[in-house]
Amino acid sequence: MAAAAPLAEFRGSGRGKGRGGRCSAPAAPALPGARPSSEPGTDPAAPAPGSERGSGRSRDRARPPWICRRRCPSGTWRPPSPPCPSSRSSTPPISSSPSSTSRAVEMSRKSPFASWLCAMLHCFGSYILAALLLGEAPLGYFSNNSSVILATAVWYLIFFCPMNLFYKCVSFLPMKLIFVAMKEVVRVRKIAAGVHHAHHLYHHGWFVMLATGWVKGSGVALMSNFEQLLRGVWKPETNEILHMSFPTKASLYGTVLFTLQQTHWLPISEANLIFFFTMFMIVCKVFMTATHSHASPFAPLENLICPVLFGSASSGHPGHHHDHHGASHEVSHPPPPPPPAKSKEELNEGTRKRKAKKAE
């Protein structure tokens, strides 16, 4: 049943989000009998030149009630734009694709074979990569019929169970924590088995042991880009090597420990190392899952050691980035100054024009 955890993550990894478009206010309706104006800023409801000018009360009585009583700076009356319906409505905007559906569920309905193939990669991707590295048959693990049938049954129940009962049971937090703990137990045993198998084939091949143990522990994450291609998605920025998650980093560090133990550089038995590292992985992953945290427990140690060994990203000196071929660097020009503010005379002149228009 440890296969239920990666398959549940595979189904819940692609939830779509609704996108509400920006609401644009419709234009105000034209007044009946109003003359269209070609000049900007004029009011169609204003009286034509030479016509009879009534009092302010008669003009207000002729205007519809939705016209604002506030004057614009130009002195003309302008109807306000009706408020956007989404600004006062408490209901979220309706999206074309419901957010409750998952991309993985949609793919399982449209192309079940592609969904099944992605699920098999989630379950057996580490074995495929390890076999490729060691020159063995990539499909050799698929000869284990019981494992393939069990993974297929779990895939079918997760995606096609009536009323999503199986998926709801697996996603229930107490059950999910149990499956997460079982998954970490399997991960540590796969790392230890990968290092031991590589040591059996290459006694002094440290890097072969490191590579084999690492892909055995995090092969699914390392194959994420290939798995995305099967789903018709290409996201190179989600490369696991560039942005390692906690399981990938933990698998790498655990592979180093098991390699040192296999080469007798670490004075501890393999059984004790498996026990302690398994307990560490279970505690960290269960805590991160229960608290919905994505912070890596290795972050404080990495922030302390990495700047000393590899330097920080912003520690480069400008004098070191020179061109050895004599090419001149681009001179960075200062930003243009802001436009000068209006003087008092211009402001007074604008005020006089507005007063004259009001008097007219």
Side-chain angles (χ1 to χ4, degrees), residues 110-179:
K110 294 179 180 179
S111 55
F113 179 74
S115 176
W116 175 84
L117 191 59
C118 293
M120 295 303 106
L121 287 180
H122 271 262
C123 294
F124 310 117
S126 58
Y127 300 101
I128 296 174
L129 278 182
L132 289 174
L133 291 179
L134 297 177
E136 300 174 354
L139 300 180
Y141 194 82
F142 284 87
S143 61
N144 192 351
N145 298 327
S146 59
S147 299
V148 177
I149 292 175
L150 177 61
T152 304
V154 173
W155 164 80
Y156 186 84
L157 289 175
I158 284 181
F159 286 98
F160 302 102
C161 182
M163 301 176 62
N164 287 334
L165 293 179
F166 189 80
Y167 178 71
K168 291 178 181 178
C169 293
V170 173
S171 301
F172 186 52
L173 186 57
M175 295 293 296
K176 187 177 182 180
L177 296 180
I178 295 175
F179 290 130

Side-chain angles (χ1 to χ4, degrees), residues 45-57:
S51 61
E52 184 179 359
R53 295 183 176 87
S55 61
R57 183 175 302 176

Side-chain angles (χ1 to χ4, degrees), residues 76-93:
T76 60
W77 295 92
R78 288 185 181 179
S81 300
C84 181
S86 61
S87 60
R88 293 188 180 183
S89 176
S90 59
T91 58

Side-chain angles (χ1 to χ4, degrees), residues 154-222:
V154 173
W155 164 80
Y156 186 84
L157 289 175
I158 284 181
F159 286 98
F160 302 102
C161 182
M163 301 176 62
N164 287 334
L165 293 179
F166 189 80
Y167 178 71
K168 291 178 181 178
C169 293
V170 173
S171 301
F172 186 52
L173 186 57
M175 295 293 296
K176 187 177 182 180
L177 296 180
I178 295 175
F179 290 130
V180 165
M182 295 171 60
K183 182 180 178 181
E184 298 310 314
V185 172
V186 175
R187 187 196 305 275
V188 176
R189 295 184 66 87
K190 287 163 63 176
I191 294 173
V195 173
H196 181 77
H197 184 51
H199 180 262
H200 177 71
L201 298 177
Y202 304 92
H203 296 283
H204 304 287
W206 285 36
F207 292 100
V208 178
M209 300 179 200
L210 290 173
T212 307
W214 188 32
V215 300
K216 273 293 191 76
S218 59
V220 177
L222 297 176

